[in-house]
mmCIF file with all atom_site columns, all heavy atoms in Angstrom:
data_model
loop_
_atom_site.group_PDB
_atom_site.id
_atom_site.type_symbol
_atom_site.label_atom_id
_atom_site.label_alt_id
_atom_site.label_comp_id
_atom_site.label_asym_id
_atom_site.label_entity_id
_atom_site.label_seq_id
_atom_site.pdbx_PDB_ins_code
_atom_site.Cartn_x
_atom_site.Cartn_y
_atom_site.Cartn_z
_atom_site.occupancy
_atom_site.B_iso_or_equiv
_atom_site.pdbx_formal_charge
_atom_site.auth_seq_id
_atom_site.auth_comp_id
_atom_site.auth_asym_id
_atom_site.auth_atom_id
_atom_site.pdbx_PDB_model_num
ATOM 1  N N   . PHE H 1 156 ? 10.731 -33.105 5.702  1.00 95.00 ? 156 PHE H N   1
ATOM 2  C CA  . PHE H 1 156 ? 10.688 -31.897 4.858  1.00 95.00 ? 156 PHE H CA  1
ATOM 3  C C   . PHE H 1 156 ? 10.618 -30.553 5.708  1.00 95.00 ? 156 PHE H C   1
ATOM 4  O O   . PHE H 1 156 ? 10.444 -29.553 5.229  1.00 95.00 ? 156 PHE H O   1
ATOM 5  C CB  . PHE H 1 156 ? 9.417  -32.036 4.003  1.00 95.00 ? 156 PHE H CB  1
ATOM 6  C CG  . PHE H 1 156 ? 9.491  -32.901 2.844  1.00 95.00 ? 156 PHE H CG  1
ATOM 7  C CD1 . PHE H 1 156 ? 8.763  -34.064 2.780  1.00 95.00 ? 156 PHE H CD1 1
ATOM 8  C CD2 . PHE H 1 156 ? 10.494 -32.692 1.811  1.00 95.00 ? 156 PHE H CD2 1
ATOM 9  C CE1 . PHE H 1 156 ? 8.887  -34.996 1.781  1.00 95.00 ? 156 PHE H CE1 1
ATOM 10 C CE2 . PHE H 1 156 ? 10.590 -33.543 0.785  1.00 95.00 ? 156 PHE H CE2 1
ATOM 11 C CZ  . PHE H 1 156 ? 9.776  -34.785 0.716  1.00 95.00 ? 156 PHE H CZ  1
ATOM 12 N N   . VAL H 1 157 ? 10.647 -30.781 7.008  1.00 94.00 ? 157 VAL H N   1
ATOM 13 C CA  . VAL H 1 157 ? 10.474 -29.583 7.958  1.00 94.00 ? 157 VAL H CA  1
ATOM 14 C C   . VAL H 1 157 ? 11.587 -28.530 7.703  1.00 94.00 ? 157 VAL H C   1
ATOM 15 O O   . VAL H 1 157 ? 11.363 -27.401 7.606  1.00 94.00 ? 157 VAL H O   1
ATOM 16 C CB  . VAL H 1 157 ? 10.383 -30.086 9.344  1.00 94.00 ? 157 VAL H CB  1
ATOM 17 C CG1 . VAL H 1 157 ? 10.625 -28.890 10.275 1.00 94.00 ? 157 VAL H CG1 1
ATOM 18 C CG2 . VAL H 1 157 ? 9.067  -30.657 9.665  1.00 94.00 ? 157 VAL H CG2 1
ATOM 19 N N   . LYS H 1 158 ? 12.768 -29.063 7.648  1.00 94.00 ? 158 LYS H N   1
ATOM 20 C CA  . LYS H 1 158 ? 13.965 -28.134 7.532  1.00 94.00 ? 158 LYS H CA  1
ATOM 21 C C   . LYS H 1 158 ? 13.774 -27.319 6.222  1.00 94.00 ? 158 LYS H C   1
ATOM 22 O O   . LYS H 1 158 ? 14.013 -26.128 6.170  1.00 94.00 ? 158 LYS H O   1
ATOM 23 C CB  . LYS H 1 158 ? 15.282 -28.909 7.581  1.00 94.00 ? 158 LYS H CB  1
ATOM 24 C CG  . LYS H 1 158 ? 16.500 -28.063 7.673  1.00 94.00 ? 158 LYS H CG  1
ATOM 25 C CD  . LYS H 1 158 ? 16.758 -27.699 9.140  1.00 94.00 ? 158 LYS H CD  1
ATOM 26 C CE  . LYS H 1 158 ? 17.833 -26.704 9.315  1.00 94.00 ? 158 LYS H CE  1
ATOM 27 N NZ  . LYS H 1 158 ? 17.907 -26.097 10.591 1.00 94.00 ? 158 LYS H NZ  1
ATOM 28 N N   . LEU H 1 159 ? 13.573 -28.063 5.084  1.00 96.00 ? 159 LEU H N   1
ATOM 29 C CA  . LEU H 1 159 ? 13.423 -27.456 3.770  1.00 96.00 ? 159 LEU H CA  1
ATOM 30 C C   . LEU H 1 159 ? 12.270 -26.440 3.790  1.00 96.00 ? 159 LEU H C   1
ATOM 31 O O   . LEU H 1 159 ? 12.472 -25.339 3.332  1.00 96.00 ? 159 LEU H O   1
ATOM 32 C CB  . LEU H 1 159 ? 13.198 -28.583 2.770  1.00 96.00 ? 159 LEU H CB  1
ATOM 33 C CG  . LEU H 1 159 ? 12.849 -28.051 1.295  1.00 96.00 ? 159 LEU H CG  1
ATOM 34 C CD1 . LEU H 1 159 ? 14.120 -27.431 0.754  1.00 96.00 ? 159 LEU H CD1 1
ATOM 35 C CD2 . LEU H 1 159 ? 12.364 -29.175 0.414  1.00 96.00 ? 159 LEU H CD2 1
ATOM 36 N N   . SER H 1 160 ? 11.093 -26.914 4.177  1.00 95.00 ? 160 SER H N   1
ATOM 37 C CA  . SER H 1 160 ? 9.899  -26.106 4.058  1.00 95.00 ? 160 SER H CA  1
ATOM 38 C C   . SER H 1 160 ? 10.010 -24.864 5.039  1.00 95.00 ? 160 SER H C   1
ATOM 39 O O   . SER H 1 160 ? 9.654  -23.754 4.708  1.00 95.00 ? 160 SER H O   1
ATOM 40 C CB  . SER H 1 160 ? 8.651  -26.886 4.419  1.00 95.00 ? 160 SER H CB  1
ATOM 41 O OG  . SER H 1 160 ? 8.725  -27.477 5.685  1.00 95.00 ? 160 SER H OG  1
ATOM 42 N N   . GLY H 1 161 ? 10.569 -25.090 6.210  1.00 95.00 ? 161 GLY H N   1
ATOM 43 C CA  . GLY H 1 161 ? 10.779 -24.081 7.194  1.00 95.00 ? 161 GLY H CA  1
ATOM 44 C C   . GLY H 1 161 ? 11.753 -22.977 6.738  1.00 95.00 ? 161 GLY H C   1
ATOM 45 O O   . GLY H 1 161 ? 11.464 -21.772 6.948  1.00 95.00 ? 161 GLY H O   1
ATOM 46 N N   . SER H 1 162 ? 12.776 -23.454 6.109  1.00 96.00 ? 162 SER H N   1
ATOM 47 C CA  . SER H 1 162 ? 13.842 -22.548 5.581  1.00 96.00 ? 162 SER H CA  1
ATOM 48 C C   . SER H 1 162 ? 13.193 -21.725 4.431  1.00 96.00 ? 162 SER H C   1
ATOM 49 O O   . SER H 1 162 ? 13.419 -20.554 4.290  1.00 96.00 ? 162 SER H O   1
ATOM 50 C CB  . SER H 1 162 ? 15.084 -23.298 5.115  1.00 96.00 ? 162 SER H CB  1
ATOM 51 O OG  . SER H 1 162 ? 15.538 -24.043 6.199  1.00 96.00 ? 162 SER H OG  1
ATOM 52 N N   . ALA H 1 163 ? 12.372 -22.414 3.601  1.00 96.00 ? 163 ALA H N   1
ATOM 53 C CA  . ALA H 1 163 ? 11.829 -21.730 2.419  1.00 96.00 ? 163 ALA H CA  1
ATOM 54 C C   . ALA H 1 163 ? 10.831 -20.720 2.931  1.00 96.00 ? 163 ALA H C   1
ATOM 55 O O   . ALA H 1 163 ? 10.787 -19.558 2.426  1.00 96.00 ? 163 ALA H O   1
ATOM 56 C CB  . ALA H 1 163 ? 11.105 -22.774 1.543  1.00 96.00 ? 163 ALA H CB  1
ATOM 57 N N   . ALA H 1 164 ? 10.033 -21.065 3.944  1.00 95.00 ? 164 ALA H N   1
ATOM 58 C CA  . ALA H 1 164 ? 9.066  -20.101 4.540  1.00 95.00 ? 164 ALA H CA  1
ATOM 59 C C   . ALA H 1 164 ? 9.768  -18.882 5.122  1.00 95.00 ? 164 ALA H C   1
ATOM 60 O O   . ALA H 1 164 ? 9.360  -17.735 5.038  1.00 95.00 ? 164 ALA H O   1
ATOM 61 C CB  . ALA H 1 164 ? 8.196  -20.812 5.514  1.00 95.00 ? 164 ALA H CB  1
ATOM 62 N N   . PHE H 1 165 ? 10.863 -19.161 5.774  1.00 95.00 ? 165 PHE H N   1
ATOM 63 C CA  . PHE H 1 165 ? 11.697 -18.058 6.357  1.00 95.00 ? 165 PHE H CA  1
ATOM 64 C C   . PHE H 1 165 ? 12.177 -17.083 5.305  1.00 95.00 ? 165 PHE H C   1
ATOM 65 O O   . PHE H 1 165 ? 12.009 -15.866 5.398  1.00 95.00 ? 165 PHE H O   1
ATOM 66 C CB  . PHE H 1 165 ? 12.929 -18.634 7.160  1.00 95.00 ? 165 PHE H CB  1
ATOM 67 C CG  . PHE H 1 165 ? 13.832 -17.508 7.674  1.00 95.00 ? 165 PHE H CG  1
ATOM 68 C CD1 . PHE H 1 165 ? 13.465 -16.722 8.680  1.00 95.00 ? 165 PHE H CD1 1
ATOM 69 C CD2 . PHE H 1 165 ? 15.104 -17.403 7.109  1.00 95.00 ? 165 PHE H CD2 1
ATOM 70 C CE1 . PHE H 1 165 ? 14.203 -15.630 9.099  1.00 95.00 ? 165 PHE H CE1 1
ATOM 71 C CE2 . PHE H 1 165 ? 15.890 -16.358 7.519  1.00 95.00 ? 165 PHE H CE2 1
ATOM 72 C CZ  . PHE H 1 165 ? 15.556 -15.499 8.525  1.00 95.00 ? 165 PHE H CZ  1
ATOM 73 N N   . ALA H 1 166 ? 12.760 -17.630 4.176  1.00 96.00 ? 166 ALA H N   1
ATOM 74 C CA  . ALA H 1 166 ? 13.232 -16.843 3.101  1.00 96.00 ? 166 ALA H CA  1
ATOM 75 C C   . ALA H 1 166 ? 11.999 -16.067 2.473  1.00 96.00 ? 166 ALA H C   1
ATOM 76 O O   . ALA H 1 166 ? 12.044 -14.907 2.205  1.00 96.00 ? 166 ALA H O   1
ATOM 77 C CB  . ALA H 1 166 ? 13.903 -17.717 2.026  1.00 96.00 ? 166 ALA H CB  1
ATOM 78 N N   . GLY H 1 167 ? 10.874 -16.841 2.440  1.00 95.00 ? 167 GLY H N   1
ATOM 79 C CA  . GLY H 1 167 ? 9.629  -16.232 1.858  1.00 95.00 ? 167 GLY H CA  1
ATOM 80 C C   . GLY H 1 167 ? 9.154  -15.025 2.679  1.00 95.00 ? 167 GLY H C   1
ATOM 81 O O   . GLY H 1 167 ? 8.790  -14.030 2.031  1.00 95.00 ? 167 GLY H O   1
ATOM 82 N N   . ARG H 1 168 ? 9.253  -15.181 3.985  1.00 95.00 ? 168 ARG H N   1
ATOM 83 C CA  . ARG H 1 168 ? 8.793  -13.929 4.797  1.00 95.00 ? 168 ARG H CA  1
ATOM 84 C C   . ARG H 1 168 ? 9.723  -12.737 4.724  1.00 95.00 ? 168 ARG H C   1
ATOM 85 O O   . ARG H 1 168 ? 9.272  -11.598 4.647  1.00 95.00 ? 168 ARG H O   1
ATOM 86 C CB  . ARG H 1 168 ? 8.627  -14.386 6.246  1.00 95.00 ? 168 ARG H CB  1
ATOM 87 C CG  . ARG H 1 168 ? 9.860  -14.798 6.967  1.00 95.00 ? 168 ARG H CG  1
ATOM 88 C CD  . ARG H 1 168 ? 10.471 -13.949 8.087  1.00 95.00 ? 168 ARG H CD  1
ATOM 89 N NE  . ARG H 1 168 ? 9.616  -13.107 8.744  1.00 95.00 ? 168 ARG H NE  1
ATOM 90 C CZ  . ARG H 1 168 ? 10.016 -11.801 9.085  1.00 95.00 ? 168 ARG H CZ  1
ATOM 91 N NH1 . ARG H 1 168 ? 11.235 -11.345 8.658  1.00 95.00 ? 168 ARG H NH1 1
ATOM 92 N NH2 . ARG H 1 168 ? 9.232  -11.070 9.680  1.00 95.00 ? 168 ARG H NH2 1
#
Side-chain angles (χ1 to χ4, degrees):
Chain H
F156 287 113
V157 165
K158 193 81 186 167
L159 172 71
S160 57
S162 305
F165 172 71
R168 61 114 21 224

